[in-house]
Amino acid sequence: MAAYDEERAKIIASGIEVVPDPDRAFMLTIRRKKDVRKEHQDASDQAIFERAFSEKPNRAYSTKKKILAEGDSWVNIFTDIPGQPDTFVDVIAKKYYVNNIGWPGDTFRETFGAKQYKQPLSAGTFDFFVFSGGGVDFFGGDAMKNFVRPFNEGDGSKDAKTYVKDEFDYFLRGVARDYRTVLRETITWSAPKRTKLVMHGYDYSIPKPGGQYLGRRFEQLGFDTGTRLPREIVKVLVDRFYDALLSVAKGSGGRALVVDFRNTIGRLWHDEIHPNDGGAKKLATQAAKKMGLVL
């Protein structure tokens, strides 16, 4: 980041803060800081305005490959604000041209329904369309109780599959159906450019005691987050989500790719569901490899 951009980021951070929403996974809210002197708040507002309307700096990209990214906080987590980690898309954007229109906290249905990706896809200039969606719909918040049974309904079973409701399979069928629609849209709207749809799942998040996204939700359902069972339930959910994505890619003639992020982040987590900068670099390596890019 250029010195000017670093200074502007500090000014922006002096007046606003990024606050996770404990009731909605992957949701982040920008709000004004309390008790900030007026001159600092005015400077922050001006810096935000300049950032929004400034053109991207000229940069010598390694190739002419271009990427469009849309979706949740795994592609956009307000990285420009100090204290926020990179996403894997941010890492790739340091070497390749990326138009990132994602917004943290958007559900799959919100992103799919708004179709803000139609206009950029129709320009016919992007080689890859990274669509990140689904995690908000089943990780954390009220979504957890929609798909996971309370511990007392499992008769003490240690088999994680016992606690996953049939509703999750219904949800995944809907996700697969809608991703197939996104694939058709990608093929149609990007023509004659043969833009490839790039889908991804998530890594195996680790519920922590009292964790705002996962741990607290499992505890409300009666699980002990000090045991492995909540982790194993997360693993079942994530694996089945990948199965849905792979079913979309199958038979697409190579127009749909699935990046497998499982067992990639390790201990490099920023919080329960987002990677830190080191984790983002590892994810970026996986994604770049799948797209045939070199970081």
Side-chain angles (χ1 to χ4, degrees):
M1 185 182 291
Y4 171 68
D5 286 335
E6 290 180 355
E7 182 61 29
R8 183 163 57 185
K10 292 178 182 178
I11 295 173
I12 291 174
S14 71
I16 62 174
E17 58 187 349
V18 179
V19 183
D21 186 340
D23 294 322
R24 187 171 177 181
F26 297 85
M27 180 64 183
L28 301 172
T29 302
I30 294 179
R31 71 183 183 191
R32 292 178 182 273
K33 289 182 177 178
K34 297 179 180 179
D35 303 322
V36 175
R37 293 170 58 181
K38 185 177 186 302
E39 57 265 35
H40 290 168
Q41 189 65 69
D42 290 344
S44 178
D45 291 346
Q46 179 63 29
I48 293 172
F49 178 84
E50 292 176 357
R51 175 70 177 82
F53 289 96
S54 63
E55 294 184 0
K56 291 184 177 180
N58 292 324
R59 182 181 300 169
Y61 295 102
S62 59
T63 73
K64 294 183 179 180
K65 297 292 185 182
K66 294 184 176 182
I67 301 164
L68 174 65
E70 168 67 300
D72 56 30
S73 58
W74 266 49
V75 298
N76 182 1
I77 196 171
F78 302 137
T79 305
D80 286 343
I81 298 176
Q84 292 299 108
D86 282 340
T87 68
F88 77 92
V89 171
D90 293 318
V91 176
I92 293 174
K94 294 175 182 178
K95 197 166 184 179
Y96 295 89
Y97 178 88
V98 175
N99 181 7
N100 191 339
I101 61 173
W103 190 260
D106 280 353
T107 65
F108 181 92
R109 293 300 306 174
E110 288 168 343
T111 305
F112 175 72
K115 299 196 185 302
Q116 293 178 340
Y117 50 88
K118 180 177 181 180
Q119 183 174 351
L121 271 180
S122 298
T125 60
F126 294 99
D127 298 277
F128 301 99
F129 174 31
V130 177
F131 193 104
S132 176
V136 181
D137 304 78
F138 69 88
F139 266 140
D142 290 336
M144 182 69 71
K145 67 182 181 183
N146 294 333
F147 302 126
V148 178
R149 293 186 177 88
F151 179 73
N152 61 15
E153 293 183 10
D155 297 325
S157 174
K158 295 182 179 180
D159 184 354
K161 296 177 182 177
T162 302
Y163 300 95
V164 179
K165 296 181 180 180
D166 293 340
E167 283 80 359
F168 189 60
D169 290 326
Y170 304 150
F171 161 73
L172 291 178
R173 283 199 285 271
V175 167
R177 179 194 64 233
D178 291 342
Y179 260 115
R180 289 189 180 95
T181 298
V182 174
L183 174 59
R184 288 194 297 270
E185 292 170 341
T186 301
I187 293 172
T188 301
W189 293 341
S190 68
K193 187 77 172 180
R194 291 181 59 81
T195 303
K196 293 183 179 181
L197 173 64
V198 180
M199 305 172 287
H200 71 82
Y202 304 89
D203 203 346
Y204 297 132
S205 300
I206 302 174
K208 297 180 179 179
Q212 63 179 345
Y213 292 116
L214 299 176
R216 186 158 59 90
R217 300 303 175 180
F218 272 110
E219 288 164 357
Q220 289 172 348
L221 290 171
F223 292 91
D224 179 358
T225 50
T227 67
R228 290 194 58 83
L229 185 55
R231 292 189 189 186
E232 294 300 319
I233 294 173
V234 168
K235 187 175 185 296
V236 171
L237 297 175
V238 170
D239 285 346
R240 291 188 183 177
F241 186 76
Y242 273 103
D243 289 341
L245 298 184
L246 290 168
S247 72
V248 176
K250 185 178 181 180
S252 69
R255 293 298 296 273
L257 309 176
V258 177
V259 184
D260 192 340
F261 286 146
R262 288 173 288 189
N263 296 312
T264 298
I265 297 175
R267 296 184 178 182
L268 301 177
W269 291 93
H270 172 70
D271 54 33
E272 284 184 300
I273 58 177
H274 299 105
N276 62 22
D277 288 344
K281 288 180 181 178
K282 295 181 72 174
L283 296 179
T285 298
Q286 289 288 93
K289 181 179 180 181
K290 193 68 178 182
M291 291 186 280
L293 307 179
V294 178
L295 296 181

